[in-house]
Amino acid sequence: TLMMALTFFYFGGMYLNDAFDADIDAAERPERPIPSGQVSAKAVFTLGFGMLALGIAALWYAGVKLPGGTGWAAAYAGMALAVCITFYNWNHKGNPLSPLVMGACRMLIYIAAGAAVAVSLPQGLYFGAGILLCYLIGLTFAAKQENLNKITNLWPLVFLALPFAYAAGLLDIDQTGAIIFAIFLLWVLYALSFLVFPSRINVPRAVVSLLAGICLLDALLIAASGETSLAWLAVIGFPLTLAFQRWIPGT
């Protein structure tokens, strides 16, 4: 139920992104579905908001109707997530705080999932959500940079380093966690090479690579909680994300 609910939020956000950007796409990317006339903006708005509503309803069902549910807390977190998604899509162009809003969207996924299964959220969940927030801030800021080979524009990368500092200094990492930590670090360095080295500048490729890396960050945090099997399940999401990006662009 949680996977279905949060998938509705993700898809709804993708639809609303196109709907809110229809005018900009008409000038810059007229081949997109709305500017090219394949679908109307009204229909996409309806589908987008409809999927957000379905996501909230699914979280309510998980919290209120399923055995062991925790009440309305998950639905309230879903409402906050829907607001953040809508606000980001409506006001992300030229908004210097848009990376923070995007990070909050991802952070609320952790909060909503946790609220559906636990009355009192553990401290580790909040720490994990904060680390994910930092990673998304760095990712989103980096995506806005055009000349990261200049030292004055490298400061957003500090946010991408915080998950590693946290994991190395505060978490009790076992062998599984150490392996995932190494894979995650190497992947992030690989992604950043497309932002830092002039001969390899490719911002879209860096962004989709860092997005896929979220699976590895999830896995690292899960491993730190002692759930080794679930951590490797999250790792499997990493190559799956890269594979599906061939059909569903992550830009």
Side-chain angles (χ1 to χ4, degrees):
T1 302
L2 287 176
M3 292 178 66
M4 178 182 67
L6 296 171
T7 298
F8 278 134
F9 283 109
Y10 199 91
F11 283 0
M14 292 172 68
Y15 274 60
L16 291 178
N17 188 265
D18 269 17
F20 278 111
D21 286 354
D23 291 339
I24 295 174
D25 285 343
E28 298 179 359
R29 296 186 293 176
E31 74 280 0
R32 299 286 292 171
I34 296 176
S36 64
Q38 299 177 55
V39 64
S40 69
K42 180 179 179 181
V44 177
F45 270 121
T46 301
L47 290 169
F49 284 120
M51 282 186 276
L52 295 187
L54 286 173
I56 295 171
L59 288 176
W60 171 84
Y61 181 81
V64 176
K65 293 297 184 180
L66 291 181
T70 59
W72 279 78
Y76 291 147
M79 293 176 192
L81 176 56
V83 170
C84 279
I85 290 172
T86 302
F87 180 79
Y88 176 83
N89 285 317
W90 169 64
N91 189 31
H92 67 282
K93 296 292 187 181
N95 181 356
L97 296 180
S98 62
L100 180 62
V101 181
M102 171 58 78
C105 291
R106 294 279 184 167
M107 182 178 67
L108 282 165
I109 292 174
Y110 278 19
I111 303 299
V117 298
V119 175
S120 179
L121 299 183
Q123 187 179 41
L125 187 143
Y126 290 112
F127 276 122
I131 290 301
L132 182 64
L133 172 65
C134 292
Y135 184 84
L136 262 295
I137 289 175
L139 190 163
T140 309
F141 264 122
K144 291 175 175 289
Q145 306 302 307
E146 295 182 356
N147 299 301
L148 285 182
N149 55 312
K150 295 182 178 180
I151 190 66
T152 55
N153 290 326
L154 289 176
W155 69 266
L157 304 187
V158 173
F159 286 98
L160 293 175
L162 290 178
F164 300 102
Y166 176 80
L170 298 179
L171 297 179
D172 183 16
I173 298 180
D174 59 9
Q175 183 177 9
T176 297
I179 294 173
I180 296 173
F181 181 95
I183 296 172
F184 183 37
L185 176 60
L186 290 174
W187 182 255
V188 170
L189 292 175
Y190 166 76
L192 291 181
S193 71
F194 295 109
L195 297 171
V196 175
F197 298 111
S199 62
R200 290 171 60 86
I201 294 295
N202 189 333
V203 173
R205 186 168 181 180
V207 171
V208 297
S209 298
L210 290 171
L211 283 172
I214 293 175
C215 296
L216 297 175
L217 176 54
D218 289 341
L220 180 61
L221 294 171
I222 294 170
S225 72
E227 296 289 345
T228 302
S229 298
L230 289 178
W232 287 118
L233 184 62
V235 170
I236 293 174
F238 170 64
L240 287 177
T241 300
L242 292 175
F244 280 114
Q245 282 177 345
R246 295 184 179 184
W247 294 279
I248 307 172
T251 57

